[in-house]
Amino acid sequence: MSSRASAVFFAQNSRAFAFRSGNSAHVIRTVLWILLLGAFAVVGVCGVVQRIEWRPPVFRSATSTTDEVAQSLFGSNNGTELLAKALEKFPQDSALMVVGPGMDWRLSEMQYLASYVAWPRPVWALGQVEAGHLSIFSYLPKDDVKPAAMLFYISEPPPELAAHALTLAQDLKIVTLQ
Amino acid sequence: MTAVEILIALLLIACAGFGAAALALPRGRTDVPEFVAVAILFGGAFVSLAMFLCGVVCADPLLRIAVSSCALLLGAIGFFKTRKTFAFEWPRFSGALCLTLLALVFAQTILVTWQSIAQTLRWDGVFAWEIKAHIAFLNGGRIPSAYFTDWSRAWSHPQYPFGLPMLEDWLYCWLGEPHQGLVKVLFPFVYIAAIALLFVAGKRITGDIRIALTAAALPFFVPCLIVGPGSASCGWADFPIATVYLAAVFYLVDYATNATRASLRLFSLCAALLPWTKQEGVILAGCLFLIGIFVALPRRELTPMLLAAIPLAIVVIGWKIFLAAMHAPPQSDFLPFTPDTFLENWDRIGFVAKFLAGEAIRWSRWGVLWLVMLVALCDLARRGRERHAVLLTATIALPVAIYSAVYIFSAWPNWRAHVSTSLPRLIMDVSLAAVLAIALALAPAKTGTHK
C-alpha cells in the first residue's frame, strides 16, 4: 500500500481511532497517532523480515535441536545419535567426564549436550588451563568420582590414553577407562 | 498414526480447558475469543499440573489414563454448565478496516505457526525446559527424584517450574517418544491465546471492535514476539508467561473497572499460573497483588483481594516444599538478599539502567514498542483515563524495576553478562501488557467500559 493510499485508508476509518472531533487538538492527535502507528508497522515488519528463518520444517526430526547443537560443536550431522550410541554401552550409574579447553564456553555446551543424551549417567566437565589459572567452565563433582569414560573435546587425550581413544568426530574422542 | 496421537493429546488439553474455562468464566453472555484464550491457558496448566501431581503416585500408561480421565471429567462438567448457563457470542466484523485488521491477525497466526515448525527449540528451549520433559518421559512420564539430586545437571535449573516441561511430557507420552520437532505444535496455541486476550481486553475496555482488532494485530510488529529467541515460535517459557501475565493484567484492570467477582476470580487464577510457568512469575504475581491491594483498599475489598492470593500461595509454597523435600540444588545465580550485598553492589544499577534504555531502542528486536508505549500511557493519562494509565504503568514499570534491581544481587563473576543475557528476555514478560496500553490509547476519550 502506498503512503497516499495509506493516508486515505486511515482517513476513511479514522472514527475507529476516536478522531471524531473536528478541533485542532484532535487533528494533531490523529496525525501523530497515524505517524506513530505507521512507524510501528514499518520498523516492526523490517525487524520481523530480518528474523524469519527460511528452512524446512523441524518436525521431521526427533532430535532437531540437539543435532543443531552437535553440528555447531563438532560438525556431525547426526550428532545426537552418534553420542547416544557411543554412551549407551556404559552402565547407567557410571559417571562420564568431558575434557576440553577450560576457558572456552563450548566446553560447557559439550557437557550439556552429552548430559542430555547420557541421562541418567552424571556428566562432569574438566577444563584444561595453563598452570596457575582456574577454568571457569569446569563442572566437577564434590566427591571423588571415577569416570567410566572421558570425552575429549577439542583436545587430545594424554599419551597413556591415546591408544584407547576412539574418534567420534573431528573434535571429539572417547576413551573408556573402566 | 503420529498425527492421531498428537490430535488426541491436543483434544484432551482442549477438553480440560473447556471445562476449566466454563467453571472460571462468569455465566451469561461470553465472548468466544475470551473463552478460547482462557481454555488454552487453563487447559495447558491443568494438564501439566495433573501430570506433575498424578506422577507422584503412578507412571505411564496409568498416568496417562489418570490425566485423561481428569481432563474428560472436567470437560463433561464444563459441557453441562455451558449448555445451561452460557450464551456464546461470536464477534461481528464489518467494514474495510475490520476486515484488513482481521486479515492481519490471521496472517500473523500463520507466520507464527510456520516459524514454530521451521525453528528448532534453540538453546534454552532444549537445555532449560525440554530436557525436563525428555527425562520425565524416560522415567514413565514423571520427573524422577534423582533429577533433583543430580548435581551434574544443576545447570539445567531443576528448581525451575514444571508447567511447560510437563505439558511437553504429556505430548511425548502420547507420541511414545521424545520429539524436539513435534513438540513445537504446542506453541502457536499460546500465541492464539495471546491475541484472543488482546482482542477481548480491547473490546471489553473500549467497547470498540476496531480497537480490539488493532490490539490483536499489534504483536505482529514486535519482531522479538514473533520470531527469534524467546518469541512465540521458539518454544521457550518467555512468551507463555507474557501471555499469562497479560491475562492477569486484563482481569485486574477489569476488576478495577467493574469490580465483579468473576474478574477477581480469573485474576486470582491467572496470577497463580505465573509461578508455575516460569520462576520470575513469583515477582510478577507479587507485583500484581501489590497493585491489586491499592485497587481494593478504597473499595474496602481488601479481604477478597487477600483471599484471591490463596491459589498463588498454594503454588509458591507447594513448590518450595517440594523442592526442599527433593533436596534440589539451591539457586546459584544470586547472592543472599542482604543489606550488606545491596550496599556493596548498588552502583550496578547505573549500568542496568543504561542497558535497559539501550534495549528499549533496539529497533531490530522491539520495533518501536517501548517508545510508542510511553506515548500511549501519557496520552491515556492526559485524556482522563487515569485509572487505566496508572494501572497499566504500574503493571509494566513495577516488574521491570524489580527485575533491574535484582542484578544488584547477581552472583555471576561477570554480572554484566548476566544482565545482557537475561534482562532482554525478562522485559518480554510485560511486552504484551505494553501492547494493550497502546491499543487502549487509540480509543475514543469518552467510551466507557462494556460488560
Side-chain angles (χ1 to χ4, degrees):
Chain A
M1 194 182 288
S2 69
S3 58
R4 183 181 163 78
S6 303
V8 170
F9 178 80
F10 276 107
Q12 284 171 346
N13 292 283
S14 59
R15 281 185 65 202
F17 301 104
F19 309 135
R20 290 171 181 165
S21 171
N23 68 41
S24 59
H26 280 169
V27 172
I28 291 168
R29 185 173 170 272
T30 305
V31 172
L32 280 176
W33 269 114
I34 288 172
L35 288 173
L36 273 176
L37 287 180
F40 196 92
V42 170
V43 178
V45 167
C46 290
V48 170
V49 169
Q50 282 172 12
R51 285 169 162 253
I52 284 177
E53 292 190 16
W54 306 90
R55 49 192 269 176
V58 294
F59 58 68
R60 290 178 195 150
S61 167
T63 52
S64 52
T65 310
T66 42
D67 280 345
E68 192 177 67
V69 173
Q71 170 69 37
S72 72
L73 287 175
F74 51 88
S76 173
N77 284 333
N78 56 344
T80 312
E81 191 186 349
L82 185 82
L83 265 179
K85 277 190 178 165
L87 302 179
E88 70 185 5
K89 65 180 178 185
F90 300 104
Q92 296 209 336
D93 58 348
S94 59
L96 307 168
M97 181 78 78
V98 178
V99 183
M103 305 304 279
D104 189 338
W105 51 268
R106 285 179 296 172
L107 174 64
S108 287
E109 296 201 340
M110 189 60 227
Q111 182 209 350
Y112 296 175
L113 178 65
S115 198
Y116 180 94
V117 174
W119 171 263
R121 303 165 191 86
V123 180
W124 304 96
L126 175 65
Q128 296 170 316
V129 284
E130 290 174 16
H133 289 79
L134 201 66
S135 164
I136 55 170
F137 295 108
S138 281
Y139 207 91
L140 297 168
K142 287 177 182 169
D143 307 319
D144 284 339
V145 171
K146 287 187 178 175
M150 294 176 109
L151 284 156
F152 286 87
Y153 175 59
I154 330 180
S155 66
E156 291 300 320
E160 62 269 26
L161 296 177
H164 306 287
L166 179 71
T167 303
L168 298 176
Q170 194 183 349
D171 289 329
L172 189 64
K173 294 182 176 68
I174 187 167
V175 176
T176 305
L177 299 176
Q178 291 171 2
Chain B
M1 277 303 285
T2 305
V4 176
E5 285 145 359
I6 290 176
L7 198 64
I8 293 170
L10 293 178
L11 281 174
L12 284 165
I13 294 172
C15 191
F18 185 84
L23 291 174
L25 285 167
R27 296 171 182 190
R29 290 191 303 172
T30 305
D31 280 323
V32 172
E34 183 180 18
F35 196 91
V36 168
V38 172
I40 290 172
L41 295 183
F42 287 9
F46 177 86
V47 167
S48 71
L49 205 59
M51 283 291 282
F52 183 77
L53 294 174
C54 295
V56 175
V57 289
C58 59
D60 202 40
L62 207 61
L63 175 62
R64 233 183 327 158
I65 293 168
V67 176
S68 302
S69 307
C70 292
L72 288 169
L73 182 67
L74 194 58
I77 293 169
F79 175 75
F80 287 111
K81 194 187 169 196
T82 52
R83 217 174 55 159
K84 287 178 183 171
T85 56
F86 275 62
F88 288 108
E89 275 189 355
W90 286 90
R92 289 173 191 168
F93 307 105
S94 59
L97 181 62
C98 270
L99 295 175
T100 308
L101 290 168
L102 193 63
L104 203 55
V105 170
F106 274 111
Q108 61 179 297
T109 310
I110 290 166
L111 181 70
V112 168
T113 307
W114 167 44
Q115 283 299 295
S116 281
I117 57 171
Q119 290 181 56
T120 59
L121 285 164
R122 296 169 189 256
W123 190 260
D124 272 33
V126 75
F127 291 121
W129 302 107
E130 195 269 347
I131 187 173
K132 296 175 175 71
H134 178 85
I135 289 171
F137 173 78
L138 296 178
N139 192 53
R142 56 188 183 172
I143 196 80
S145 59
Y147 173 65
F148 296 97
T149 50
D150 181 359
W151 283 77
S152 77
R153 287 180 178 82
W155 52 264
S156 68
H157 304 288
Q159 64 286 101
Y160 279 15
F162 277 67
L164 181 59
M166 284 291 106
L167 200 59
E168 293 175 335
D169 179 34
W170 167 251
L171 199 70
Y172 289 173
C173 285
W174 278 99
L175 280 171
E177 62 166 336
H179 202 298
Q180 296 162 9
L182 287 173
V183 77
K184 299 291 297 285
V185 301
L186 293 170
F187 297 96
F189 291 101
V190 183
Y191 191 76
I192 290 168
I195 56 173
L197 276 167
L198 283 167
F199 175 84
V200 173
K203 186 173 170 233
R204 178 84 48 88
I205 297 170
T206 70
D208 191 326
I209 204 155
R210 290 165 295 190
I211 299 296
L213 277 169
T214 307
L218 283 178
F220 187 67
F221 304 109
V222 184
C224 70
L225 291 181
I226 304 289
V227 200
S231 69
S233 57
C234 86
W236 300 6
D238 302 81
F239 191 85
I241 199 171
T243 307
V244 178
Y245 188 66
L246 169 70
V249 167
F250 162 51
Y251 287 115
L252 181 62
V253 172
D254 195 35
Y255 171 71
T257 314
N258 299 313
T260 61
R261 280 194 181 277
S263 53
L264 186 61
R265 180 172 65 237
L266 285 155
F267 163 67
S268 164
L269 291 171
C270 291
L273 284 187
L274 288 165
W276 182 240
T277 310
K278 204 166 174 240
Q279 68 280 11
E280 68 259 24
V282 180
I283 296 175
L284 293 171
C287 291
L288 286 178
F289 273 103
L290 189 66
I291 298 162
I293 285 170
F294 282 101
V295 172
L297 265 178
R299 299 177 180 171
R300 299 183 179 183
E301 289 183 355
L302 187 61
T303 309
M305 183 54 76
L306 291 177
L307 288 174
I310 289 175
L312 171 70
I314 290 171
V315 173
V316 173
I317 295 168
W319 184 243
K320 289 277 178 202
I321 291 170
F322 175 79
L323 289 179
M326 289 289 123
H327 305 290
Q331 175 70 261
S332 57
D333 287 336
F334 294 99
L335 299 164
F337 288 80
T338 61
D340 287 345
T341 315
F342 178 82
L343 291 172
E344 199 176 315
N345 299 329
W346 70 272
D347 55 336
R348 291 179 181 181
I349 210 73
F351 173 83
V352 177
K354 202 173 166 186
F355 181 86
L356 201 60
E359 181 66 21
I361 52 168
R362 252 174 83 184
W363 314 129
S364 62
R365 188 169 159 76
W366 296 103
V368 287
L369 172 71
W370 302 111
L371 192 70
V372 178
M373 179 208 72
L374 282 176
V375 176
L377 289 173
C378 293
D379 198 26
L380 276 172
R382 189 184 65 81
R383 289 186 302 128
R385 286 175 162 263
E386 290 90 352
R387 180 173 294 201
H388 291 149
V390 170
L391 261 179
L392 286 167
T393 305
T395 54
I396 294 164
L398 194 58
V400 173
I402 293 173
Y403 288 159
S404 303
V406 151
Y407 292 101
I408 292 171
F409 302 93
S410 171
W412 284 31
N414 184 359
W415 59 269
R416 287 184 175 85
H418 194 187
V419 175
S420 59
T421 52
S422 55
L423 190 55
R425 280 169 42 209
L426 287 176
I427 60 175
M428 186 180 282
D429 297 352
V430 297
S431 58
L432 290 173
V435 168
L436 178 62
I438 294 169
L440 297 189
L442 300 172
K446 287 180 182 176
T447 51
T449 55
H450 294 252
K451 181 79 184 161

